[in-house]
Amino acid sequence: MTSTRTQRFGAIALAAAAALAFTPAQAGEVEVLHWWTSGGEAKAAAALKITLQKGGHRWKDFAVAGGGGDSAMTVLKSRVVSGNAPSAAQIKGPSIQEWAQEGVLANIDDVAKAEKWDELLPKVVSDIMKYKGSYVAAPVNVHRVNWLWANPEAFKKAGAKLPTSWDEFFVAAEALKKAGIVPIAHGGQNWQDFTTFESVALGVGGAEFYKKALVQLDGATITGPTMTKVLETFKKVKGYTDKNAPGRDWNLATAMVIKGEAGMQLMGDWAKGEFVAAGKTPGTDFVCVAAPGTAKAFTFNVDSFAMFKLKDAANIAAQKDLAKEIMAPAFQELFNLYKGSIPVRLNMKMDKFDDCAKASAKDFVDTAKAGTLVPSIAHGMAVPSAVEGAIKDTVSQFWNDDKMSVADAQGKLAAAARTK
Ligand code: BGC
């Protein structure tokens, strides 16, 4: 990070801390489960910690490394089963309902009512935070998943043009390859495979197809001709990844683009958090464009903290303060500047944000109106966790097994979609 930017963020952090300082009736401890361990993510997590501590409470970090959060969710299950749930856990989408059905989540309606969350949140978000009409989780941001990140130097070297369609993508990929640059930085983990897959599905098939096939899980659409094209395109992308992709963490893939070893990465805007943490400037050192063919659509991924039922009165008070503060404007700004995402709270000033975030904020509103705002499957926003796991595994099997035919993959996907 450049020193000016460090100073700027430092100043923002201090201003936010001052604005947030308050004296709680009772100081308590909040144990927070998250998986924000990469460079940009850690800075965002620190903003959350500072916010809580300024309120006089104690932060107990429960970080479980692993992009996409699969490992964190496994650890969470064993902690809850053994009767030792954390105060707050990064849980998203329909999983919030699944946890609430287990009877382990706390009702935070008192905070939500006092802070007017119903008025401050887009309905698509507040619906996800509620179980049977009551808030059980607090949202922190909106990530856009359908981004393509590119290194302009690498593109210049290759004489390539930023792609807006999948045809153009493969032309650019060929040119990068010829210039000795890895065309697409990828990490072969099933959530990353699916992050790529859902952008291909949206770009090739459009928002209606995406919703029908991957949200409503319509069998005929999954086995139909558009999905054939999607899977063919997806497999073609693999041909432009490098041999070390299997198992690579997403932030190491981003580092390849930062260094110019790779030309592009298909990833949500937490990748921007990495570029920024590395001192890179959007628009100059790196660029963001919508994933090919998806400029008029938006795959959303909302990070949120579900609150678990607690017994200790001071810890309950601290938990409620956390819920309150993460929706406050100061936190929404500070956190999202580091995280790469945009504030989830409506009508926030965006003047401190870069052009990628400003585009994201505008597109979030525009696509909601146009009906092309779609939930991310890869990031747990769309379907029950069992279905999500099954379709992710199928897509990764297809990605990894060069002998699996497209027709075979379609049949397996349709079966995975029927998972109960
Ligand atoms: C989360 C992001 C996180 C990313 C990589 C996503 O599922 O929503 O907050 O940065 O995974 O770990």
Side-chain angles (χ1 to χ4, degrees), residues 6 12 30 38-39 47 56 82 105 134 160 194 207-208 219 231 249-250 266 276 286 299 317 345 358 390-391 407:
T6 311
I12 295 168
V30 185
S38 76
S82 63
L105 296 189
S134 290
F194 211 97
E208 282 315 308
L231 285 163
D249 286 331
W250 68 273
L266 286 155
V276 171
F286 69 96
T299 322
R345 185 183 164 116
K358 283 180 181 142
I391 60 177

Side-chain angles (χ1 to χ4, degrees), residues 16-312:
L20 292 169
F22 66 102
T23 317
Q26 281 170 298
E29 179 181 271
V30 185
E31 185 179 23
V32 183
L33 171 78
H34 62 92
W35 62 89
W36 292 328
T37 55
S38 76
E41 289 177 335
K43 283 182 190 285
L48 183 60
K49 177 179 171 178
I50 290 171
T51 300
L52 179 86
Q53 287 174 334
K54 289 291 163 194
H57 300 296
R58 292 183 305 281
W59 168 274
K60 189 168 176 197
D61 201 43
F62 185 4
V64 181
D70 292 341
S71 310
M73 289 304 103
T74 307
V75 175
L76 176 66
K77 276 181 197 135
S78 64
R79 278 282 301 266
V80 179
V81 166
S82 63
N84 185 22
S87 311
Q90 190 186 347
I91 301 178
K92 303 187 291 182
S95 288
I96 295 174
Q97 313 299 313
E98 295 172 16
W99 281 104
Q101 266 157 27
E102 298 295 320
V104 290
L105 296 189
N107 181 325
I108 51 169
D109 270 345
D110 48 353
V111 178
K113 284 216 172 72
E115 299 300 316
K116 303 195 167 51
W117 287 6
D118 273 346
E119 290 160 40
L120 294 171
L121 289 173
K123 190 165 181 317
V124 67
V125 175
S126 56
D127 283 350
I128 301 169
M129 301 302 130
K130 291 177 185 176
Y131 175 65
K132 294 193 175 160
S134 290
Y135 281 94
V136 292
V140 290
N141 64 2
V142 180
H143 272 303
R144 185 181 197 173
V145 182
N146 59 317
W147 281 120
L148 176 78
W149 305 93
N151 181 314
E153 266 302 306
F155 267 69
K156 207 169 144 208
K157 210 163 134 194
K161 177 173 147 290
L162 280 173
T164 58
S165 66
W166 284 101
D167 286 344
E168 287 179 12
F169 173 89
F170 292 115
V171 173
E174 258 319 302
L176 287 160
K177 195 172 166 185
K178 288 215 176 76
I181 298 162
V182 177
I184 185 96
H186 184 70
Q189 297 173 348
N190 80 353
W191 72 272
Q192 292 189 64
D193 298 342
F194 211 97
T195 298
T196 298
F197 176 74
E198 65 184 31
S199 280
V200 174
L202 189 62
V204 171
E208 282 315 308
F209 163 80
Y210 179 103
K211 287 191 256 184
K212 221 160 175 210
L214 299 171
V215 183
Q216 291 148 25
L217 304 168
D218 177 64
T221 310
I222 293 175
T223 52
T226 306
M227 186 60 93
T228 305
K229 213 170 153 216
V230 167
L231 285 163
E232 284 167 357
T233 309
F234 174 61
K235 200 55 177 275
K236 201 169 161 194
V237 174
K238 188 187 170 192
Y240 293 97
T241 60
D242 68 327
K243 65 175 189 343
N244 296 324
R248 177 188 284 136
D249 286 331
W250 68 273
N251 53 320
L252 300 181
T254 309
M256 291 168 69
V257 182
I258 292 175
K259 291 185 216 143
E261 291 167 11
M264 307 179 268
Q265 182 183 24
L266 286 155
M267 188 50 66
D269 41 22
W270 47 93
K272 196 183 72 192
E274 291 307 292
F275 284 103
V276 171
K280 302 295 175 192
T281 308
T284 315
D285 302 323
F286 69 96
V287 288
C288 59
V289 286
T294 72
K296 296 208 155 48
F298 189 119
T299 322
F300 70 91
N301 169 24
V302 174
D303 282 316
S304 51
F305 285 96
M307 303 297 171
F308 281 83
K309 280 183 182 159
L310 303 172
K311 294 204 176 79
D312 182 273

Side-chain angles (χ1 to χ4, degrees), residues 331-384:
F331 172 78
Q332 288 279 319
E333 181 177 271
L334 179 65
F335 177 85
N336 286 302
L337 283 171
Y338 286 130
K339 191 69 177 70
S341 38
I342 56 169
V344 68
R345 185 183 164 116
L346 292 169
N347 303 321
M348 286 273 304
K349 275 209 266 145
M350 294 296 290
D351 50 324
K352 293 207 179 80
F353 287 84
D354 58 45
D355 289 346
C356 301
K358 283 180 181 142
S360 187
K362 181 178 182 303
D363 292 348
F364 183 66
V365 174
D366 291 353
T367 56
K369 281 190 198 131
T372 55
L373 176 68
V374 297
S376 165
I377 293 98
H379 298 280
M381 300 306 297
V383 295

